[in-house]
Amino acid sequence: MEYLPAPAAPAQGHILCCQCGVPIPPNPANMCVGCLRAQVDITEGIPKQGTVHFCKQCERYLQPPGTWIQCALESRELLALCLKKIKASLSKVRLIDAGFIWTEPHSKRLKLKLTVQKEVINGAVLQQVFVVEYVVQSQMCEDCHRIEAKDFWKAVVQVRQKTVHKKTFYYLEQLILKHRLHQNTLRIKEIHDGLDFYYSSKQHAQKMVDFLQCTVPSRSKSSQRLISHDIHSNVYNYKSTFSVEIVPICKDNVVCLSPKLAQSLGNMSQICVCIRVTSTIHLIDPRTLQIAEIDGNTYWRHPFNSLFHPKQLEEFIIMDINRVHEKKKGAGAGARSNKHTLAEAWVRKTSELDTDHQYFCCTHLGHILNPGDLVLGFDLANCNLNDEFANKMNPQHIPDVVLIKKSYDRSKRQRRRNWKLKELERDREATDTDDERQYQDFLEDLEEDETIRKNVNIYRNADIPVESDTDDDGAPRISLAEMLEDLHISQDATGGEGAEMLT
C-alpha cells in the first residue's frame, strides 16, 4: 500500500488565507495583503490628477479662491497648497506621509507620493502608497494683469524741488536704495523737476511720504480721486496722490535770511552759505563761523531763496590769506563750527589776471586754502541781487565775494575715483550733459563731506586700480575702509554653461 504525504501544516500561530490558502499571521479579515488589496482599494475616490495655476510674471501660485502666494519648488508651502486641493477626499483615510517625487523644473508637472491608512474588513488596517500628479497651468494674476493693462497704480508720490540742480534727488536716491524703500514701487518716473513713485496700495505710498519728511526738509499734501463704486457691496475704489515739496535750497547755495529769522538764530548774518542739506538745512556765516540748523517747519514759516545758481560760480585765485584765530562773539551769538577755520583773504578773478583788481573777503575755508590756490565763489559786488531781503540790507553788510569751495582738477578726480554708486531703475525723459555735470558735482560732494557719506552705500569699483599718492594734488578722496564690496549672485545655482558648482 502506498501512502501519500500529508499537506504541510501551517506554522505555529499562522492561519491559511481564505482566498488563496497562503499561511499568514492571523488578522480580522483572514486574508493576505494581496487578496485584501484585490478586494478593497482604500484610495478609491481620491483624485490621482489635478491642476495648479502659476503666474509667470510674479512667480506665484494660486491658492483658491483668490489668494496668490510665493512658493519655492518642493517647499512645504507648495506641498500644503497641493494637499488642500484633495483635502476633502483625504478625509476618509488617514494621511501618514507626503512628499514630492523629483520632476524636471520645466516639465510643468508636480508629483506627490502619498501614504495613507484605512480600516477595512472586520477592523483590519490597510496601508497603501500612491502618486498624485499635478499639471502646472499658466494664469496671470490680477496684480500682473493691471500692470500689463497700464492702469495698475493705486497711489502716486510726486516729489518736487524748485531748483535747477538735482543734488538733493541724487542724495535722496541713495537713501532710498540704502533703506530698500524702492521694493514696493511699481514704477519710478523721472521728470524735469522731480520724481514720481507709483504704488499698488495707499499704505506703501504713505510710508514713502513719512520717510521723505524724516529725511529731507519738506511739506506734503494729499488728494484722492474716485475711480469706481460698487453700490451692492458699498466698495469705493480711489486713486491717491501725495505731493511732496522739498525746500528749494541745495548744498553750496548762498542765501539771504529774513532779519527776523537771522535774529532768532543767534543774531547771525543774513548772508549765509548752505554747507549741507540732510533732515535740516545747515547754514554757516562765513564772517563769524556761526552755524545754525533750520528744519522744514521753520523754513516754510520764514522762507528764503538762493541768491545764485551753480552755473554762476566763478573761479578766483588766492593772493593772500590770514587765519583769524580769535573772533569776539557778538551779543546772543550761537554756536560756532569746529570743522572750519575763519580767515581773511585777498582774491582775484582768474578772468581778470591782466588787471590789478582784487577783492577782500572773509571765508570759512581757512583750513584748506593757501596762497596760489584756486577757489570757486560768487561775486556779489558786480551783480544785481534780485532778492526781497538782500535789497533791503545795508550795502556795507553785503560782502563783495563769498567763497564756496576749493577747486581741483575734475578730470583727474574722475580718473582716480575707484568707487561707484548704485542707481534706481526709472523711466527717464531725456538726459543731457548738464545732468552728467550735476551728477559729478554730487560725487565730489560725497568725497568732500564725511557727514553725508555716512548715509550712502559706496561700492568699490574693481575696474579702476588704486593709484599711488605721488601725484596727489590734495583733493579729498574716500578711503577703502568706507567702501562696500559689490556682491553679484549667479541666478543658476548649478553653475550653468560649464561653470563650477556653487557650494
Side-chain angles (χ1 to χ4, degrees):
M1 180 180 291
E2 183 180 354
Y3 293 93
L4 295 175
Q12 186 67 28
H14 284 57
I15 64 173
L16 297 177
C17 174
C18 65
Q19 293 287 336
C20 62
V22 175
I24 58 172
N27 62 61
N30 295 328
M31 289 187 195
C32 64
V33 176
C35 296
L36 196 57
R37 285 179 178 171
Q39 295 287 330
V40 181
D41 182 14
I42 65 173
T43 65
E44 185 179 2
I46 301 176
K48 305 302 188 294
Q49 290 184 339
T51 303
V52 175
H53 294 92
F54 176 72
C55 179
K56 291 182 178 179
Q57 274 74 10
C58 59
E59 298 183 350
R60 294 186 298 175
Y61 291 88
L62 174 61
Q63 179 176 319
T67 306
W68 292 83
I69 60 176
Q70 199 88 26
C71 298
L73 286 175
E74 300 189 6
S75 63
R76 297 178 61 183
E77 294 79 9
L78 186 57
L79 180 63
L81 186 146
C82 294
L83 290 177
K84 283 182 180 179
K85 288 185 169 292
I86 57 175
K87 182 179 180 181
S89 303
L90 291 175
S91 60
K92 299 179 181 179
V93 297
R94 184 170 62 174
L95 182 64
I96 301 301
D97 187 28
F100 284 100
I101 299 176
W102 186 86
T103 57
E104 290 286 348
H106 59 272
S107 65
K108 300 295 182 182
R109 296 292 187 274
L110 298 174
K111 291 185 178 181
L112 260 65
K113 182 180 179 181
L114 304 181
T115 304
V116 295
Q117 286 182 353
K118 185 179 180 181
E119 187 175 330
V120 290
I121 304 171
N122 297 329
V125 177
L126 186 62
Q127 179 172 307
Q128 192 169 339
V129 178
F130 65 103
V131 176
V132 180
E133 181 178 321
Y134 292 91
V135 179
V136 181
Q137 292 186 352
S138 298
Q139 177 179 328
M140 188 177 291
C141 66
E142 294 180 359
D143 296 335
C144 295
H145 195 276
R146 291 195 191 99
I147 294 176
E148 292 296 322
K150 305 300 181 185
D151 186 25
F152 54 97
W153 60 273
K154 292 290 186 69
V156 59
V157 179
Q158 299 174 339
V159 187
R160 300 291 184 268
Q161 186 182 34
K162 298 177 181 178
T163 59
V164 296
H165 206 286
K166 297 182 179 180
K167 282 185 180 181
T168 306
F169 288 104
Y170 292 135
Y171 175 64
L172 203 58
E173 176 185 18
Q174 298 303 317
L175 290 179
I176 292 173
L177 283 169
K178 181 171 184 177
H179 294 88
R180 306 177 68 84
L181 284 176
H182 61 292
Q183 290 184 327
N184 296 322
T185 55
L186 299 174
R187 179 188 176 200
I188 302 175
K189 183 180 179 182
E190 179 180 350
I191 58 176
H192 67 282
D193 60 347
L195 294 171
D196 289 345
F197 298 88
Y198 294 89
Y199 295 91
S200 59
S201 67
K202 185 178 179 181
Q203 289 76 12
H204 291 154
Q206 185 64 57
K207 184 178 179 181
M208 172 60 82
V209 173
D210 295 340
F211 172 77
L212 292 175
Q213 291 181 335
C214 297
T215 305
V216 290
S218 58
R219 62 180 176 181
S220 65
K221 59 182 179 181
S222 61
S223 62
Q224 59 183 10
R225 179 164 57 97
L226 181 64
I227 302 301
S228 62
H229 173 212
D230 188 349
I231 60 175
H232 300 289
S233 60
N234 203 27
V235 174
Y236 293 82
N237 184 18
Y238 289 100
K239 279 193 173 183
S240 303
T241 301
F242 295 87
S243 178
V244 180
E245 183 181 359
I246 303 175
V247 295
I249 305 297
C250 294
K251 184 179 183 297
D252 297 337
N253 284 167
V254 177
V255 299
C256 183
L257 309 178
S258 65
K260 184 176 181 181
L261 179 59
Q263 183 180 8
S264 66
L265 296 176
N267 290 327
M268 67 188 305
S269 174
Q270 288 183 247
I271 303 294
C272 297
V273 177
C274 176
I275 54 177
R276 77 176 62 90
V277 177
T278 54
S279 58
T280 57
I281 304 172
H282 297 255
L283 301 177
I284 188 169
D285 184 355
R287 288 185 170 185
T288 62
L289 296 186
Q290 188 173 333
I291 55 176
E293 295 184 15
I294 300 176
D295 58 12
N297 294 331
T298 304
Y299 175 85
W300 297 117
R301 286 198 304 268
H302 307 281
F304 52 88
N305 298 313
S306 174
L307 300 181
F308 302 92
H309 56 79
K311 290 184 179 180
Q312 294 175 293
L313 276 171
E314 297 188 62
E315 192 175 57
F316 296 84
I317 185 170
I318 303 294
M319 306 304 296
D320 190 19
I321 186 168
N322 296 316
R323 273 79 175 175
V324 179
H325 298 288
E326 293 185 4
K327 182 78 173 181
K328 186 178 179 181
K329 274 191 175 184
R336 290 185 179 180
S337 173
N338 296 324
K339 298 182 179 180
H340 299 84
T341 301
L342 185 63
E344 296 175 345
W346 286 94
V347 298
R348 182 184 295 179
K349 288 184 181 180
T350 54
S351 60
E352 299 177 353
L353 290 179
D354 54 344
T355 66
D356 295 333
H357 192 190
Q358 295 186 12
Y359 301 89
F360 175 80
C361 64
C362 291
T363 178
H364 59 291
L365 304 176
H367 57 296
I368 59 174
L369 294 181
N370 295 296
D373 287 344
L374 296 178
V375 61
L376 298 176
F378 294 109
D379 182 6
L380 280 72
N382 302 313
C383 69
N384 293 323
L385 296 177
N386 187 17
D387 185 80
E388 174 187 359
F389 304 122
N391 294 335
K392 297 178 182 179
M393 286 182 62
N394 187 342
Q396 296 181 353
H397 296 161
I398 300 178
D400 293 339
V401 172
V402 176
L403 302 181
I404 300 299
K405 59 181 179 180
K406 188 175 179 179
S407 178
Y408 301 96
D409 187 352
R410 168 165 286 186
S411 60
K412 186 180 292 185
R413 293 182 72 172
Q414 284 184 250
R415 190 170 59 251
R416 67 173 53 168
R417 187 172 290 140
N418 59 338
W419 54 274
K420 59 184 178 179
L421 301 176
K422 292 188 176 180
E423 296 184 5
L424 289 173
E425 294 183 4
R426 56 186 183 271
D427 301 334
R428 302 174 185 265
E429 285 188 340
T431 56
D432 51 19
T433 55
D434 190 51
D435 288 346
E436 180 60 27
R437 183 188 62 83
Q438 293 180 14
Y439 187 67
Q440 293 300 324
D441 289 343
F442 171 69
L443 297 182
E444 292 176 2
D445 291 343
L446 287 180
E447 292 176 334
E448 296 168 4
D449 195 337
E450 184 181 357
T451 305
I452 297 179
R453 210 158 57 224
K454 291 179 180 178
N455 300 326
V456 176
N457 283 342
I458 299 172
Y459 297 90
R460 182 182 176 187
N461 190 356
D463 298 334
I464 301 178
V466 180
E467 295 185 0
S468 61
D469 297 335
T470 54
D471 58 344
D472 193 2
D473 57 354
R477 300 175 68 176
I478 299 178
S479 63
L480 289 174
E482 298 178 81
M483 301 181 193
L484 302 174
E485 289 291 341
D486 195 6
L487 180 63
H488 295 281
I489 301 177
S490 174
Q491 294 182 354
D492 188 2
T494 59
E497 298 185 359
E500 295 182 359
M501 183 174 290
L502 297 178
T503 57

